[in-house]
Amino acid sequence: MPRHDNPPDRLLGLARRVWPALATLDEPERRRGLSEVVGLAYSLPLALAGLAWLSAATDAGLLLREWPIFALLAGLSALFSYLSFFQFFQRPASSYDWASSSLQPIVVVSAVLLFGPTAIWLDVATELISGAHAWRRQPLAIQRWNSARNRVFNIAASTLGFLAGLALYRRLGGQIPPSPLTPASGALALLAVLVALAIQVGLFGPYALLLRRLRLSGDLASGALQYVRFVVVVSLPPFAFAILAAAVYLQIGWGAYLFFMAGALLASLLAQRLSGAAERSGRRSGELAQLERLGRALLAAPPDALALPAALAAHVPAMFRYEQIEIRLASGQTLLRLPERTAPVEGALWSWLFAGASASSYALGDRLPWSERPARGALAVAPIAGHATGAAIGGIYLALYSQVEAPAAVLPALQSLAAQIASALHRAEEHARELAYQ
């Protein structure tokens, strides 16, 4: 029996027991999948420990007595969670990851200060509901593993962080609710929320080190630093403002508290819109930059188009946030397929595209005209039109990584890419004619 000295190879045998299809993925996707399995294995015991601690600290009587208030807080928590904002992290080798956050801690932390550990269930319930919603919208197995790992990790960080911070707060003399509200009690509350935030961020450290130890993330240092910076910058203000929200409730009442939350909701909506606009602007700039580099590479290459597949492999991956890309000619030649070990795109698509279809895009659930089945994710397709006849001589298939924006937004870049490929092929034809004439 062969020995597996590479940690990912040894892990693969274990991971296949819970995810049999993992071994069929290409190397980059398989390593990404292994990191999700490791992350779930790391965070699940922590989440179970946190839930057990939370169950022991829960006051069921309080929940029954104050259920209208908890129902209102649960609605606010879900609404803030829906109005999340995000940031993508670009990594080497054209890979990327992203982190999202929201102003939802304003609701949860203020509720914890007012009602004690029972209010932590608001965060747990929000994570479970948003996780179930994400599961329905994500058809790919690796997306679902990523969603499950994120939700379980968030539950572990939330329960352990809040309970530890609350235990310190009470040990130092803090009261639930903090009455009377004084600078001293406010400072204790701030210390408690800082401890909770530190634990939540700190739990990511062992996971990052574990991935590095298992050689599952070669670019971990930059990615982890960007992630921690994002989490700290966007999480610290909501944690601090939650103390102010609790103070508003204690001093003025529910009317002022809800008015405060209405202002926070407007700020959350603005942050969501701004993060989306920044991502869209960055994507369009990236597409233009890569199209320019590809054009220069094709002009500098020999006119016989032999260098076309290499040029596409060098510049197209950084052009789009993709799950899968395939560029195929009507002759049957595949110019590019990423990831490399993925199955070829179904022939019905190419038959439909070569028959005269125009560039089009489809969101999750849209009916696909070449198969009559709903789309399993956002995608876009474009024909490569020949210079002489205008008929399709090839096509491009692009399955998008994320639905941050409408898939139609990538069509201009996709059509420009198709035009560059058509120009390179036309140049090769003209060169072949010249050689034949000579």
Side-chain angles (χ1 to χ4, degrees):
M1 182 178 295
R3 292 181 58 191
H4 300 291
D5 295 326
N6 191 14
D9 292 338
R10 296 198 300 268
L11 278 174
L12 183 59
L14 298 174
R16 287 177 60 184
R17 299 180 182 180
V18 293
W19 186 359
L22 183 61
T24 64
L25 301 179
D26 69 291
E27 179 64 20
E29 290 296 293
R30 185 166 64 248
R31 296 176 72 88
R32 178 184 163 196
L34 281 173
S35 69
E36 301 296 352
V37 175
V38 170
L40 188 59
Y42 164 76
S43 55
L44 185 58
L46 296 174
L48 293 176
L51 290 173
W53 188 3
L54 178 58
S55 298
T58 297
D59 184 351
L62 174 65
L63 194 60
L64 293 175
R65 289 193 308 271
E66 304 291 349
W67 70 265
I69 296 177
F70 277 97
L72 174 62
L73 292 172
L76 287 173
S77 177
L79 191 56
F80 273 106
S81 180
Y82 176 74
L83 295 175
S84 62
F85 39 90
F86 55 88
Q87 180 181 357
F88 275 90
F89 305 130
Q90 189 73 32
R91 294 181 174 181
S94 302
S95 62
Y96 38 79
D97 202 350
W98 73 316
S100 63
S101 188
S102 71
L103 299 184
Q104 185 236 12
I106 295 180
V107 179
V108 177
V109 174
S110 64
V112 169
L113 291 174
L114 294 172
F115 299 103
T118 305
I120 301 174
W121 286 108
L122 294 171
D123 200 29
V124 174
T126 301
E127 287 292 341
L128 293 176
I129 293 172
S130 60
H133 179 64
W135 187 277
R136 292 180 56 191
R137 295 189 303 110
Q138 296 171 332
L140 300 180
I142 196 165
Q143 294 176 320
R144 291 182 168 182
W145 274 91
N146 175 263
S147 178
R149 191 262 302 168
N150 278 330
R151 305 305 168 186
V152 173
F153 183 87
N154 289 344
I155 289 174
S158 174
T159 52
L160 295 176
F162 283 136
L163 287 169
L166 198 56
L168 177 64
Y169 173 74
R170 284 176 163 170
R171 186 176 183 85
L172 295 177
Q175 298 179 1
I176 302 294
S179 179
L181 189 65
T182 63
S185 62
L188 278 180
L190 180 60
L191 177 61
V193 299
L194 289 177
V195 169
L197 179 59
I199 291 176
Q200 293 183 15
V201 175
L203 286 178
F204 179 77
Y207 172 51
L209 293 176
L210 182 61
L211 291 184
R212 184 174 183 178
R213 176 73 175 177
L214 297 174
R215 305 175 194 170
L216 291 175
S217 185
D219 58 333
L220 186 60
S222 61
L225 182 60
Q226 293 181 79
Y227 171 81
V228 171
R229 184 189 304 123
F230 174 81
V231 170
V232 171
V233 169
V234 303
S235 297
L236 185 56
F239 272 66
F241 274 99
I243 302 174
L244 180 59
V248 166
Y249 168 76
L250 291 173
Q251 297 294 328
I252 307 177
W254 276 110
Y257 180 86
L258 293 176
F259 184 79
F260 183 96
M261 289 300 172
L265 280 172
L266 290 177
S268 186
L269 177 62
L270 180 61
Q272 184 187 60
R273 297 292 177 86
L274 287 176
S275 63
E279 168 61 17
R280 289 189 292 271
S281 176
R283 280 290 82 217
R284 301 294 84 78
S285 298
E287 290 165 359
L288 289 174
Q290 292 302 321
L291 284 169
E292 180 183 3
R293 294 188 183 102
L294 175 61
R296 291 178 179 176
L298 293 177
L299 288 175
D304 54 13
L306 292 178
L308 179 57
L312 292 175
H315 298 285
V316 171
M319 196 177 297
F320 306 105
R321 300 201 193 280
Y322 66 91
E323 287 285 352
Q324 183 178 357
I325 299 177
E326 186 165 332
I327 303 176
R328 184 186 297 187
L329 300 181
S331 62
Q333 179 186 2
T334 299
L335 297 178
L336 180 69
R337 180 186 297 143
L338 295 173
E340 295 180 358
R341 287 184 56 184
T342 52
V345 176
E346 57 184 323
L349 163 66
W350 302 116
S351 299
W352 174 80
L353 201 57
F354 298 157
S358 59
S360 52
S361 61
Y362 305 91
L364 174 67
D366 288 351
R367 184 184 62 84
L368 301 177
W370 58 86
S371 66
E372 300 299 325
R373 297 194 304 267
R376 299 179 64 244
L379 57 91
V381 295
I384 301 173
H387 277 231
T389 64
I393 59 174
I396 306 174
Y397 170 88
L398 170 64
L400 295 168
Y401 171 78
S402 173
Q403 284 186 278
V404 169
E405 58 184 356
V410 304
L411 285 181
L414 206 64
Q415 291 173 300
S416 297
L417 174 61
Q420 288 197 359
I421 296 173
S423 296
L425 295 173
H426 178 69
R427 180 187 177 199
E429 291 176 358
E430 292 294 324
H431 178 66
R433 290 194 188 99
E434 291 179 5
L435 291 179
Y437 179 77
Q438 292 174 359

